[in-house]
Amino acid sequence: MNDTFWGEPISVYTRAQALADGVLVDLTAQARPYGFKIPFACTEAVWLSIQWTESTEARKPDATGQSTDGRLHDVLSLARMAAQGAAQAGAAVAEFEVLMVPVDGKAMAARTQMFRLVVSGGDQGEPVLTLMLPGES
């Protein structure tokens, strides 16, 4: 960045701060068994679409058999396949969809949820992965 033209940044919000604030959720340990070797986080919105709590289950009219671990498995498995395709194409973004029972409401039928996996530079310029919903940046 050219500080003489733009001047000093007014503020900087780092990835570490976003993780500490809960704006990003660290999934590095969970993503490692799926072949991801660099830091992996998701946005809060993504986490809220994956997380399956007792209160979520209680809202549903019948037992769903859903769990956070199972839903995360589905997302990370499909993220890995999408990441491999993007890497072969030389792309920094992989978009993919997952059929998921919605967290909100009483719906029991799975719906398509779109995700974006982006590789970018972390706080020190190191490669990091961020899983987000379409429209998030």
Side-chain angles (χ1 to χ4, degrees):
M1 182 185 319
N2 185 345
D3 289 341
T4 57
F5 180 77
W6 295 106
E8 291 295 317
I10 294 170
S11 92
V12 175
Y13 189 62
T14 67
R15 185 176 178 91
Q17 288 170 315
L19 288 162
D21 292 345
V23 173
L24 291 177
V25 177
D26 186 7
L27 297 176
T28 302
Q30 294 92 328
R32 195 164 285 123
Y34 296 87
F36 293 103
K37 296 179 172 130
I38 61 176
F40 189 114
C42 71
T43 64
E44 181 181 25
V46 167
W47 182 248
L48 292 174
S49 75
I50 294 171
Q51 187 179 41
W52 198 267
T53 64
E54 288 179 20
S55 63
T56 303
E57 185 70 19
R59 270 196 308 276
K60 304 300 178 180
D62 296 311
T64 64
Q66 299 282 302
S67 70
T68 300
D69 288 343
R71 292 164 68 88
L72 188 56
H73 165 78
D74 293 348
V75 170
L76 291 173
S77 295
L78 292 168
R80 179 60 185 176
M81 287 189 276
Q84 287 173 324
Q88 289 173 351
V93 177
E95 294 187 341
F96 62 99
E97 55 188 43
V98 180
L99 282 175
M100 301 174 73
V101 173
V103 171
D104 57 339
K106 295 183 182 242
M108 297 287 288
R111 296 183 187 149
T112 300
Q113 174 64 62
M114 292 297 300
F115 293 97
R116 292 182 48 152
L117 183 61
V118 178
V119 64
S120 61
D123 294 343
Q124 313 306 306
E126 75 283 9
V128 296
L129 289 164
T130 306
L131 184 62
M132 57 188 77
L133 298 177
E136 292 186 302
S137 56

